[in-house]
Amino acid sequence: WTSSPCPVSRVPAIVSPLCSRTYPAMETLTEPHQLTATLSCMIGVARSLVSGGRRFPEGPTHMLPLLMRALPGVDPNDFSKCMITFQFIATFSTLVPLVDCSSALHERNDLSEVERELCSASAEFEDFVLQFMDRCFALIESSTLEQTREETETEKMTHLESLVELGLSSTFSTVLTQCSKDIFKVALEKVFNFATTNIFETRVAGRMVADMCRAAAKCHPVESLKLFVPHCCNAINQLTVSDDVLREEELDKELLWSLQLLSEITRVDGDKLLPYRPQLVPILRRTLHLKCKQGYSLSCNLLHHLLRSTALIYPTEYCSVPGGFDKPLSAYLPIKDWGRPGDLWNLSIQWHTPSAEETAFVFYILDTLLQPELLRLQGHAEGQLEMSRDDILQSLSIVQHCLLGAGSLLPALDGQPVPNLVPSMVSLEETKLYTGVDYDTSRENYREAICRVMRKLLHHILEHSEDDTKSLFSIIKIIGDLLHFKGSHKHEFDSRWKSFNLVKKSMENRLHGRKQHIRALLIDRVMLQHELRKLTVEGCEYRSVHQNLLRDLLRLSTSTYSQVRSKAQSVLFTALGTYNFCCRDLIPRVLEFLWPEQQHVTQQQFKGALYCLLGNHNGVCLANLHDWDCIVQTWPALVSSGLSSAMSLEKPSIVRLFDDLADKIHRQYETIGLDFSVADSTLAIAAQIVQTPLPLSSVPLPSAQDVETGRERQRARNQDALQKYEKLVHTLLECLAQRNLPWKFEHICIGFLSLLLRDDHPLPPPAVRFFVQSLNHDALIVRKMAISAVAGVMKQLKRPHKKVELNPYEISGCEEPGELMAGDRKDNRWLQYDGKNLLKTQEAWEACRFVEKTHWGYYSWPRKLLLYAPVQEQPPLGRSRDEMNEMEQIIFDHFSDPKFVDQLIKFLSLEDRKGKDKFNPRRFCLFKGLFRNYDDAFLPVLRPHMERLVADSHESTQRCVAEIIAGLIRGCKHWSFAKVEQLWGLLCPLIRKALSNITVETYSDWGTCIATACESRDPRKLHWLFEMLMESPLNGEGGSFVDACRLYVLQGGLAQQEWRVPELLHRLLCYLEPKLTQVYKNVRERIGSVLTYIFMIDVNLPCTRPAASPRIGHFMQRVMRQLKPLMEADEEIQNHVVEENGVGEQDERTQAIKLLKTVLKWLMASAGRSFSTAVPEQLQLLPLLFKIAPVENDDSYDELKRDAKTCLSLMSQGLLYPEQIPLVLSMLKEIAGSSSWHARYTVLTYLQTMVFYNLFTLLSHAAAVQDVRWLVIGLLEDEQLEVREMAATTLSGFLQCNFLSMDSPMQAHFEKLCKTRLPKKRKRDPGSAVDTIPPADLVKRHAGVLGLSACILSSPYDVPAWMPQLLMDLSAHLNDTQPIEMTVKKTLSNFRRTHHDNWQEHKQQFTDDQLLVLTDLLVSPCYYA
């Protein structure tokens, strides 16, 4: 962007019209949506507007008028307008120093005209700030609780009110930050007077006013604190003189307001607060123990903000210019810095870092205020001091706010690391990040003191008053802050990060690249980075103090009250992701609540433990850790918990918990490794890295003994992992053997077992036996899991087959070509199906080199062509049971048992979901694995079932036999020739019978069966199948439906083979061509789909040889000869063919109509599936389609017309190559001269779509654009009214998308046509023949009017220079004869409708005389005139 001047040059073109629309929008009261839309757009161009620059110097002059006019937008009655106004003011204020520069006019003489204008206008900044404050005060006064609430309603802020508060405070803060010192002083006095002369309720209005005061105090703390602190302190002291106030439950509103105001104005630079220590500390001492909760909460806020301001590191100013604006105007002119970006390398950030005095003040407050509270709570926890619940809550609130305020100065909790969690030869210590704080270890670590007291208090409450949930909530928060808080919370950081990114996007100047951000944004980003470092706590070392706190959190997470459990679990989940290996320590304690042996566990503890295992949506899930040590405990415990006395399946919440746990484990489980070996080459590379001098490693190179010790540990770990894997499998099987285990837990356990299937280690034999037996389980869900598992076991037991490297060029006897050439070549012809050389003998079979992958050889050959070695080198077939391993024997025994197989087939033949069952790939994989691993061992047992199932026409039985047959065909990949031949002797009659019994419900299953069987299989292996399917598929036996189904099944098989079966495709085409005149619609549609696949490989692409498969060009020549009777006929073609296959010969015309119907089905099917469009061939059909396709929407069902219309629509959307464009246009010109007006009309609709879909290709072809232009203009003069009107619509669309341009010759042509003279009406004698206007003259005149109308309607939202004159020309024809009069009226009506919204702007383009004429035309005459 920075190198291109184009976008910058367009700034005036965008901003100027935007300003001209914004000013009227700000003045109107009736269109708030227009105001919000224009203000939103102005925010987007704010940087460009205020920066001005060489191309748009007057831009900054709009800034002040816009700001002043935006002020009424601060409206309490319109939330969206109020918020967009705040954003608008904040955006412009951030970019511009609000400094009165008017005196520079007298002091400097080097100012340009625009700068002088800006200096003069800047005198209004003070007015703007004061008026803005008045608006804010009005907004606040209308937001008080008394104004907005009934007595019974909540006193909390609503969501909208909190958004308004945020908008108000951030905008006011931005305005004051950018103010000069003089303007600030006036604003400060105004806000001080407003805050101190009124008493506000503290829930809504009070928060808004306090936010404004805080904004003022942050900008200039010294001046602000000098006003506010004495006032607030005096008010509080006077109101708390009496000790009775301390015991009041409802406090005086003035006292609450003064406390709230004081708590907010102390959120300023810490060192500026130090002078007010003598006043602030007594206030805290006096108010922290107020009985009124609202009162002591405000006092706690004061304590929090006071500590936070002095203890944290943060920037103290966000001005748009470093150093502020308070410099003499002779040396520095602020208007030159309007819109100035921050310098990333010279930000000059002013940081607050806690000084020694501030640190001492923080610890003084902690000693004075925190220590007594800790002693009180400790005394209560030890039973020495009695405290009410309210007193405990009050003390906890003080403790929590002290921790939040001073947390950044308190060192992290320390203690001994928890031992024996993981064995390791390397150090697992945490990496400590320096965050700018040097902890003073000589002082007491209050974090540890709070930790000690909180643990004692927690145990005391849980033992004596567990229903004190408010205190427990507070303790949970404190524990969370003890563990993680170092100055900021994660949720607050995330919120700030999100808002920062939103502001950055709205404020960035994209014309100058991404780094030109304003200074305030850059400072904010630096601060966020600082906070991010403080929040980085992952990988912390797990110490005994953390262990104790986590155990306390676990106790709370399994306590009686659900809200306590929920809050404790949230803190626990954060901690689990923070400390290394803490999960290993905690899991056994969680599982204690689940084991059935634990009789004392309550239902609340049980649910709490389950929630702890589940985790939250983005944290650690204890039930699914990637660690054998953990899941070997958690999974069996989850299953066994079904026997726990606390478990109840009658409680929906517990059922849902187990469902969520099982679902989460299944979704997130990743296979855990068994082999952790590190290769020698990896060790060598690691040694090189350690020895590299740059950077020099701090880790010494391990000795040979260390390496060997590491290897020993590695081997021991591998062995341990394997033992744990097998132990887990056996434990889960033992759980399943428990008789009383509820069905839900049985299913969960089986799901866990299925997850333990691996590709690098076989499943233990007991698990294999369980899954095989479960194939006949009573529960459907168990059978489904067992089918998937046994299919997986089959893959584990698959025997490796030897492959050898071969040279394809030696096999074909060809030389290797020098260049890449895709398609049918001599070197890949040996892969293709050859019906003359079918593999019918064992010698031919074994001599053939089968290539299963369909894509090999089409483009090129693999670098190493690896094919299966000869049969004698492969694993032996026909093994006896003794030659199998234990797992293979288990499967062999079950599937050799007729009773087991009989039951299995019965189950597989059952219907699952009526009407929704489909061919099941998992069942197919099961049978494929059986026949691959055991060849034909189970065929004798399955054969009778297959024969029985094929004879049964029910949907579920047919689906079952289809899955078995597909598995058989794919599973016989490595069988011997004799076995394969015998197999096909069985399968061919079965498939024939199945196809003769095919039904609507089963045809898709058989199509999937054959397609699956042929996928990735050499077609020469399947010649029995293909030859059988090619046996007259359209023989008529069983009716048209069975014919269509046979074709569908054949299509499924051939489509998988793509380019390798050209001979079969030629044979099929020869067979189908005489049958293209089918009468049955379903057969026609299927033939159309089959033709698509027959011609699929006939593509015209670079570096591609012509295909050996059938060619569309040859086919179309034969079709066009048969369609000749229709092409030559002039009369309309009707769909009058009787829907039956007549016995006698029908005339050529009827046969041609039947053929055309099938060809249309083919064109429609190929539009979405073909790799390329055969444009030249399809063009031959265009004249015929234009003749048939209807113009109007015909509701009557006429298949031929509907299909012709659909085909035209699809063809017009096709991609055209440049060389094809002249062919299409010449054909369209020819049809435009047709005698049928329907055809001429349809040419225009076709042309519209074709141009829009190929717009850029056509625009690069100048001759084509001219041809389209004259074709449309020519059809404007068509004798048929409908054609003329469509030509005008088409022309208007082409002009609107700039395909054609409105130039002088076009305008002159239309004006000339408009002037065609029409004879005047003569008076007629009664009885004489009616005079008629010569049609040619009327057509020409109407064509001219339509042309003018198209030009006018092509610009619906603006008024080009040529439009006023055309409107005047058009108005002259308002009283012409029909249809001219109607065209003019429609055009004027549409013009009025589309230009109404911005008519004030558009009418500037007309002269006064033109406006007068236009007003007469557009304004309807009065009805009563």
Side-chain angles (χ1 to χ4, degrees):
W1 286 67
T2 49
S3 59
S4 170
C6 177
V8 181
S9 65
R10 292 184 181 172
V11 169
I14 296 167
V15 180
S16 296
L18 190 55
C19 288
S20 61
R21 294 189 184 202
T22 305
Y23 287 122
M26 286 175 158
E27 291 167 4
T28 179
L29 299 173
T30 56
E31 296 184 23
H33 293 301
Q34 188 179 359
L35 175 65
T36 53
T38 50
L39 287 184
S40 182
C41 293
M42 287 304 297
I43 290 167
V45 300
R47 286 284 293 274
S48 304
L49 181 80
V50 301
S51 299
R54 182 168 52 85
R55 296 185 181 277
F56 194 43
E58 69 276 13
T61 59
H62 291 283
M63 206 274 294
L64 253 163
L66 286 170
L67 279 178
M68 296 299 284
R69 295 185 193 198
L71 289 173
V74 182
D75 182 356
N77 300 312
D78 189 335
F79 169 74
S80 58
K81 182 168 74 173
C82 188
M83 292 306 291
I84 197 73
T85 304
F86 278 144
Q87 191 183 349
F88 178 82
I89 292 172
T91 303
F92 277 93
S93 301
T94 311
L95 296 168
V96 174
L98 305 182
V99 181
D100 181 358
C101 303
S102 55
S103 60
L105 292 170
H106 312 295
E107 295 178 24
R108 301 178 65 141
N109 54 10
D110 58 343
L111 302 176
S112 66
E113 191 58 42
V114 172
E115 287 173 342
R116 293 180 67 82
E117 189 178 341
L118 290 179
C119 286
S120 176
S122 66
E124 293 184 46
F125 276 137
E126 185 174 325
D127 280 349
F128 161 71
V129 172
L130 296 179
Q131 286 186 41
F132 172 65
M133 291 176 70
D134 287 334
R135 289 278 174 183
C136 293
F137 295 159
L139 175 68
I140 291 166
E141 285 169 347
S142 66
S143 301
T144 56
L145 279 177
E146 294 83 359
Q147 296 277 351
T148 58
R149 302 284 197 285
E150 298 289 340
E151 285 184 11
T152 56
E153 285 187 288
T154 176
E155 291 187 350
K156 286 185 178 178
M157 259 194 172
T158 64
H159 178 60
L160 290 185
E161 285 170 343
S162 62
L163 288 175
V164 170
E165 181 206 10
L166 181 64
L168 170 66
S169 62
S170 61
T171 306
F172 188 62
S173 175
T174 303
V175 169
L176 291 188
T177 300
Q178 293 292 96
C179 277
S180 65
K181 199 74 170 281
D182 294 335
I183 297 177
F184 173 81
K185 285 178 181 175
V186 178
L188 174 63
E189 188 176 345
K190 190 177 182 74
V191 76
F192 175 74
N193 289 335
F194 181 69
T196 54
T197 54
N198 296 283
I199 298 171
F200 296 96
E201 43 76 25
T202 56
R203 306 289 189 186
V204 182
R207 282 178 58 170
M208 293 183 182
V209 180
D211 285 338
M212 291 182 74
C213 296
R214 182 192 74 220
K218 271 193 170 182
C219 291
H220 292 282
V222 176
E223 293 82 353
S224 305
L225 293 176
K226 193 182 293 183
L227 282 176
F228 282 105
V229 173
H231 171 84
C232 294
C233 290
N234 289 337
I236 295 168
N237 285 327
Q238 287 174 13
L239 293 166
T240 57
V241 168
S242 170
D243 289 343
D244 295 339
V245 175
L246 302 179
R247 294 185 290 276
E248 288 179 6
E249 293 189 1
E250 288 291 329
L251 287 180
D252 183 78
K253 284 186 178 180
E254 185 181 355
L255 175 57
L256 290 175
W257 166 232
S258 299
L259 274 172
Q260 183 175 38
L261 186 56
L262 186 60
S263 71
E264 286 299 322
I265 58 162
T266 50
R267 294 171 66 176
V268 296
D269 191 354
D271 63 340
K272 307 296 189 297
L273 284 170
L274 293 179
Y276 299 97
R277 282 175 292 185
Q279 293 148 279
L280 294 172
V281 175
I283 295 285
L284 285 172
R285 281 183 173 152
R286 189 71 176 159
T287 57
L288 277 173
H289 290 94
L290 291 166
K291 188 172 184 181
C292 171
K293 184 179 178 183
Q294 195 178 357
Y296 77 70
S297 296
L298 289 171
S299 184
C300 283
N301 285 342
L302 172 60
L303 172 65
H304 173 203
H305 296 152
L306 200 57
L307 290 170
R308 192 175 171 83
S309 297
T310 47
L312 271 184
I313 298 173
Y314 50 86
T316 56
E317 55 84 31
Y318 286 85
C319 284
S320 60
V321 179
F325 319 116
D326 298 317
K327 303 168 189 172
L329 291 177
S330 55
Y332 167 66
L333 191 61
I335 60 168
K336 292 184 181 291
D337 283 335
W338 284 25
R340 172 183 167 184
D343 182 357
L344 192 60
W345 307 109
N346 187 24
L347 277 179
S348 303
I349 303 177
Q350 301 298 311
W351 288 97
H352 168 266
T353 52
S355 63
E357 193 178 359
E358 286 174 284
T359 307
F361 176 57
V362 169
F363 280 97
Y364 167 72
I365 290 181
L366 295 180
D367 294 339
T368 309
L369 301 175
L370 173 62
Q371 187 69 27
E373 301 304 324
L374 292 178
L375 291 173
R376 288 178 70 206
L377 291 171
Q378 184 172 350
H380 175 69
E382 292 171 351
Q384 300 167 4
L385 178 66
E386 193 64 37
M387 291 177 70
S388 68
R389 292 188 177 186
D390 288 341
D391 289 344
I392 294 172
L393 196 60
Q394 186 176 34
S395 291
L396 286 173
S397 183
I398 295 169
V399 171
Q400 186 189 356
H401 283 84
C402 284
L403 181 58
L404 289 175
S408 58
L409 290 181
L410 301 178
L413 295 172
D414 200 8
Q416 289 300 313
V418 178
N420 304 323
L421 285 177
V422 284
S424 175
M425 289 180 66
V426 295
S427 169
L428 296 176
E429 289 181 4
E430 63 184 273
T431 303
K432 290 185 169 63
L433 281 177
Y434 180 66
T435 54
V437 180
D438 296 308
Y439 298 113
D440 186 352
T441 53
S442 63
R443 299 179 185 273
E444 181 178 1
N445 186 351
Y446 275 104
R447 195 184 290 267
E448 292 185 349
I450 294 171
C451 178
R452 283 194 302 272
V453 175
M454 287 305 110
R455 291 200 65 224
K456 286 181 182 178
L457 180 64
L458 172 62
H459 297 160
H460 178 79
I461 291 176
L462 288 175
E463 286 167 16
H464 297 96
S465 55
E466 194 180 353
D467 60 339
D468 185 7
T469 55
K470 290 183 179 178
S471 296
L472 290 177
F473 292 161
S474 193
I475 291 172
I476 291 167
K477 282 183 183 175
I478 291 170
I479 291 176
D481 290 335
L482 284 171
L483 288 169
H484 312 299
F485 184 74
K486 295 181 185 174
S488 55
H489 285 111
K490 182 74 167 65
H491 65 274
E492 292 174 354
F493 172 82
D494 290 339
S495 173
R496 286 188 55 199
W497 184 268
K498 189 175 178 182
S499 64
F500 163 78
N501 280 307
L502 287 173
V503 174
K504 186 177 85 168
K505 278 193 175 177
S506 69
M507 300 283 284
E508 66 186 345
N509 189 345
R510 296 194 175 188
L511 304 183
H512 295 98
R514 294 185 175 178
K515 295 296 179 187
Q516 296 289 307
H517 298 300
I518 59 172
R519 182 170 178 266
L521 262 181
L522 294 173
I523 295 175
D524 208 18
R525 180 66 181 83
V526 173
M527 182 58 190
L528 285 169
Q529 188 66 32
H530 172 62
E531 287 192 5
L532 189 61
R533 287 177 66 81
K534 290 194 291 186
L535 287 166
T536 305
V537 291
E538 289 85 356
C540 293
E541 195 165 6
Y542 186 47
R543 301 175 182 276
S544 55
V545 63
H546 305 136
Q547 184 182 48
N548 293 331
L549 287 173
L550 261 62
R551 289 178 179 179
D552 289 340
L553 284 171
L554 176 60
R555 186 174 173 186
L556 287 163
S557 299
T558 53
S559 60
T560 306
Y561 296 97
S562 61
Q563 284 186 311
V564 174
R565 293 200 302 270
S566 176
K567 291 180 186 298
Q569 285 158 11
S570 178
V571 176
L572 178 65
F573 297 149
T574 306
L576 290 177
T578 302
Y579 301 104
N580 289 335
F581 313 113
C582 61
C583 299
R584 288 166 167 252
D585 177 56
L586 214 61
I587 281 175
R589 293 182 169 271
V590 177
L591 300 183
E592 284 177 6
F593 298 103
L594 302 184
W595 291 114
E597 297 83 18
Q598 302 285 348
Q599 297 297 322
H600 60 278
V601 175
T602 65
Q603 208 165 65
Q604 287 81 9
Q605 289 175 320
F606 188 78
K607 280 177 67 175
L610 289 177
Y611 272 113
C612 289
L613 288 175
L614 182 63
N616 52 12
H617 67 283
N618 58 356
V620 176
C621 174
L622 288 179
N624 198 21
L625 289 171
H626 197 72
D627 189 337
W628 286 120
D629 291 329
C630 296
I631 67 164
V632 83
Q633 300 175 66
T634 53
W635 287 11
L638 274 172
V639 176
S640 298
S641 67
L643 298 171
S644 170
S645 57
M647 201 286 302
S648 170
L649 286 177
E650 294 175 4
K651 291 209 72 171
S653 59
I654 290 183
V655 174
R656 191 168 58 248
L657 258 175
F658 278 109
D659 287 340
D660 291 346
L661 268 165
D663 179 56
K664 191 165 190 177
I665 290 171
H666 276 271
R667 278 189 293 107
Q668 294 187 353
Y669 177 73
E670 292 181 2
T671 305
I672 306 171
L674 291 177
D675 184 3
F676 302 96
S677 302
V678 178
D680 290 338
S681 57
T682 308
L683 289 174
I685 293 169
Q688 288 177 0
I689 293 173
V690 172
Q691 292 170 314
T692 304
L694 288 173
L696 191 63
S697 172
S698 59
V699 181
L701 186 67
S703 65
Q705 186 179 353
D706 289 340
V707 172
E708 189 52 40
T709 307
R711 288 184 193 280
E712 283 297 325
R713 286 196 176 199
Q714 177 185 285
R715 284 190 284 271
R717 189 179 176 197
N718 291 349
Q719 187 62 33
D720 181 59
L722 185 56
Q723 287 172 358
K724 285 197 168 77
Y725 168 68
E726 293 180 348
K727 179 189 174 185
L728 178 57
V729 172
H730 289 298
T731 310
L732 290 174
L733 288 171
E734 286 170 9
C735 292
L736 285 168
Q738 298 176 63
R739 294 186 60 187
N740 298 328
L741 191 69
W743 61 268
K744 186 169 198 65
F745 294 88
E746 183 185 352
H747 297 171
I748 289 172
C749 187
I750 296 170
F752 290 165
L753 267 177
S754 66
L755 288 175
L756 294 173
L757 274 164
R758 323 172 51 89
D759 61 356
D760 60 347
H761 190 78
L763 198 64
V768 174
R769 176 174 277 105
F770 169 78
F771 276 125
V772 174
Q773 289 172 348
S774 297
L775 289 171
N776 285 341
H777 197 279
D778 292 339
L780 174 64
I781 188 171
V782 176
R783 293 203 299 274
K784 285 182 175 179
M785 287 192 283
I787 287 169
S788 298
V790 176
V793 170
M794 293 292 182
K795 197 149 192 176
Q796 286 182 335
L797 299 176
K798 177 182 175 182
R799 293 181 294 170
H801 287 75
K802 184 180 176 184
K803 292 185 178 181
V804 293
E805 186 178 346
L806 293 173
N807 187 337
Y809 301 107
E810 289 179 6
I811 299 173
S812 61
C814 302
E815 292 183 6
E816 188 173 347
E819 59 180 0
L820 177 69
M821 185 60 69
D824 296 308
R825 306 180 304 274
K826 288 182 181 179
D827 62 282
N828 65 15
R829 199 165 293 160
W830 61 278
L831 290 178
Q832 295 182 343
Y833 187 92
D834 184 0
K836 296 172 185 172
N837 297 308
L838 299 179
L839 307 176
K840 294 188 175 180
T841 64
Q842 185 165 343
E843 293 77 19
W845 181 271
E846 292 178 358
C848 184
R849 296 298 189 186
F850 295 113
V851 178
E852 311 289 3
K853 302 297 181 189
T854 311
H855 59 280
W856 282 3
Y858 183 77
Y859 292 98
S860 61
W861 294 99
R863 288 192 180 91
K864 284 186 179 180
L865 180 63
L866 295 174
L867 302 180
Y868 288 106
V871 179
Q872 54 271 23
E873 298 180 39
Q874 301 295 0
L877 300 171
R879 293 177 297 161
S880 66
R881 185 181 184 280
D882 296 337
E883 295 175 271
M884 302 175 188
N885 63 33
E886 185 182 356
M887 289 167 288
E888 289 176 324
Q889 287 176 354
I890 293 168
I891 296 169
F892 181 83
D893 292 342
H894 281 83
F895 280 92
S896 300
D897 179 3
K899 288 183 180 178
F900 178 85
V901 174
D902 184 45
Q903 185 61 48
L904 175 66
I905 297 299
K906 278 182 183 174
F907 277 133
L908 294 180
S909 305
L910 291 175
E911 193 171 59
D912 183 6
R913 295 177 303 161
K914 178 76 175 170
K916 294 186 177 178
D917 291 341
K918 289 188 173 65
F919 182 93
N920 192 320
R922 292 193 179 120
R923 295 180 184 182
F924 152 75
C925 288
L926 170 67
F927 287 109
K928 174 186 171 184
L930 282 172
F931 294 115
R932 177 189 61 221
N933 293 7
Y934 297 90
D935 47 88
D936 59 351
F938 308 131
L939 209 50
V941 185
L942 282 167
R943 180 171 183 163
H945 293 290
M946 292 165 65
E947 290 170 345
R948 176 177 57 79
L949 293 170
V950 161
D952 188 342
S953 62
H954 283 90
E955 178 185 354
S956 54
T957 53
Q958 289 283 311
R959 185 176 300 112
C960 176
V961 74
E963 289 158 357
I964 296 173
I965 288 175
L968 249 176
I969 298 173
R970 288 284 290 278
C972 71
K973 178 177 177 179
H974 296 291
W975 290 14
S976 65
F977 175 74
K979 289 189 175 187
V980 171
E981 191 172 36
Q982 190 179 354
L983 172 67
W984 283 110
L986 163 68
L987 289 183
C988 285
L990 288 177
I991 295 173
R992 280 197 191 97
K993 191 166 187 177
L995 293 180
S996 65
N997 290 338
I998 205 161
T999 63
V1000 176
E1001 291 84 12
T1002 61
Y1003 86 93
S1004 66
D1005 296 323
W1006 280 106
T1008 310
C1009 164
I1010 300 302
T1012 307
C1014 297
E1015 182 193 358
S1016 294
R1017 282 292 175 268
D1018 194 310
R1020 296 167 296 174
K1021 269 187 181 177
L1022 303 173
H1023 67 82
W1024 294 276
L1025 176 64
F1026 287 128
E1027 294 298 330
M1028 182 206 70
L1029 292 174
M1030 291 288 289
E1031 295 169 359
S1032 60
L1034 297 179
N1035 55 21
E1037 293 178 12
S1040 65
F1041 174 73
V1042 176
D1043 281 356
C1045 290
R1046 282 199 205 96
L1047 268 183
Y1048 173 68
V1049 171
L1050 173 60
Q1051 174 185 342
L1054 292 178
Q1056 295 296 327
Q1057 297 299 330
E1058 297 177 353
W1059 63 283
R1060 293 180 62 172
V1061 287
E1063 183 199 314
L1064 290 176
L1065 296 177
H1066 276 290
R1067 280 165 54 188
L1068 182 58
L1069 184 61
C1070 290
Y1071 175 79
L1072 289 177
E1073 275 196 44
K1075 303 183 183 297
L1076 292 177
T1077 54
Q1078 276 281 336
V1079 237
Y1080 297 110
K1081 179 170 178 277
N1082 55 352
V1083 180
R1084 280 200 303 273
E1085 287 178 346
R1086 182 49 53 199
I1087 290 175
S1089 184
V1090 171
L1091 286 173
T1092 300
Y1093 283 98
I1094 288 176
F1095 299 121
M1096 183 72 79
I1097 305 299
D1098 181 21
V1099 291
N1100 180 20
L1101 294 170
C1103 301
T1104 305
R1105 291 178 63 82
S1109 54
R1111 312 293 296 278
I1112 295 177
H1114 303 151
F1115 172 70
M1116 283 302 298
Q1117 287 175 5
R1118 299 192 291 274
V1119 167
M1120 292 307 294
R1121 283 199 293 271
Q1122 296 179 57
L1123 292 177
K1124 206 169 182 183
L1126 299 181
M1127 301 289 287
E1128 294 173 349
D1130 286 335
E1131 66 270 19
E1132 189 178 352
I1133 298 167
Q1134 293 290 347
N1135 183 27
H1136 56 69
V1137 180
V1138 182
E1139 287 286 324
E1140 63 174 271
N1141 280 320
V1143 180
E1145 284 294 319
Q1146 293 163 327
D1147 65 340
E1148 287 184 351
R1149 180 180 169 79
T1150 307
Q1151 292 282 18
I1153 290 176
K1154 287 182 182 178
L1155 172 63
L1156 180 60
K1157 286 183 177 182
T1158 308
V1159 170
L1160 290 177
K1161 298 293 183 192
W1162 163 54
L1163 290 175
M1164 288 157 61
S1166 65
R1169 297 185 204 159
S1170 299
F1171 295 126
S1172 61
T1173 310
V1175 174
E1177 289 80 5
Q1178 290 181 358
L1179 281 179
Q1180 301 173 47
L1181 285 170
L1182 268 187
L1184 192 54
L1185 298 184
F1186 278 128
K1187 195 186 298 185
I1188 299 169
V1191 170
E1192 65 285 340
N1193 291 322
D1194 193 356
D1195 291 335
S1196 62
Y1197 178 80
D1198 187 330
E1199 184 192 350
L1200 189 65
K1201 287 186 175 182
R1202 194 186 65 181
D1203 287 355
K1205 191 168 187 177
T1206 305
C1207 275
L1208 280 176
S1209 173
L1210 292 169
M1211 289 164 69
S1212 63
Q1213 294 171 37
L1215 178 69
L1216 296 176
Y1217 296 130
E1219 61 272 13
Q1220 295 169 342
I1221 291 172
L1223 296 174
V1224 179
L1225 289 178
S1226 64
M1227 181 61 74
L1228 292 176
K1229 282 183 197 171
E1230 183 183 329
I1231 298 166
S1234 161
S1235 59
S1236 164
W1237 75 265
H1238 279 195
R1240 300 195 299 274
Y1241 181 95
T1242 314
V1243 162
L1244 290 162
T1245 58
Y1246 185 94
L1247 197 60
Q1248 288 174 17
T1249 313
M1250 186 192 85
V1251 168
F1252 294 137
Y1253 270 82
N1254 295 276
L1255 187 65
F1256 300 107
T1257 313
L1258 283 161
L1259 282 171
S1260 61
H1261 201 295
V1265 175
Q1266 288 303 314
D1267 287 347
V1268 171
R1269 174 184 175 131
W1270 291 117
L1271 180 59
V1272 175
I1273 289 176
L1275 287 171
L1276 270 175
E1277 299 181 45
D1278 194 274
E1279 61 186 21
Q1280 190 72 24
L1281 174 63
E1282 290 87 347
V1283 178
R1284 294 200 297 274
E1285 289 178 341
M1286 180 51 69
T1289 304
T1290 307
L1291 177 62
S1292 176
F1294 288 169
L1295 289 169
Q1296 192 169 346
C1297 72
N1298 284 330
F1299 176 71
L1300 299 178
S1301 57
M1302 174 62 193
D1303 52 17
S1304 301
M1306 185 185 286
Q1307 187 174 347
H1309 176 70
F1310 292 146
E1311 287 174 347
K1312 181 182 176 184
L1313 289 175
C1314 285
K1315 292 174 182 173
T1316 305
R1317 296 176 66 82
L1318 299 179
K1320 292 181 181 178
K1321 293 182 180 179
R1322 296 188 297 274
K1323 289 181 181 178
R1324 295 188 294 273
D1325 297 328
S1328 67
V1330 177
D1331 288 334
T1332 56
I1333 299 170
D1337 296 341
L1338 180 61
V1339 164
K1340 281 187 178 180
R1341 192 174 176 100
H1342 189 212
V1345 170
L1346 282 170
L1348 296 179
S1349 168
C1351 295
I1352 290 166
L1353 297 181
S1354 69
S1355 297
Y1357 305 113
D1358 59 347
V1359 178
W1362 45 262
M1363 188 180 280
Q1365 185 54 49
L1366 291 196
L1367 279 167
M1368 295 304 105
D1369 293 345
L1370 200 65
S1371 64
H1373 299 278
L1374 188 58
N1375 298 315
D1376 279 11
T1377 187
Q1378 296 291 9
I1380 298 173
E1381 181 189 350
M1382 184 56 65
T1383 301
V1384 175
K1385 282 185 176 179
K1386 275 185 186 176
T1387 306
L1388 292 172
S1389 172
N1390 282 330
F1391 173 82
R1392 180 184 179 184
R1393 177 177 57 81
T1394 56
H1395 291 76
H1396 171 74
D1397 286 351
N1398 294 308
W1399 182 240
Q1400 295 300 320
E1401 178 187 339
H1402 292 155
K1403 71 179 183 181
Q1404 308 297 326
Q1405 308 295 324
F1406 295 85
T1407 64
D1408 291 344
D1409 292 343
Q1410 288 173 336
L1411 272 177
L1412 202 61
V1413 173
L1414 206 57
T1415 306
D1416 288 344
L1417 293 174
L1418 297 181
V1419 177
S1420 302
C1422 179
Y1423 182 78
Y1424 297 102

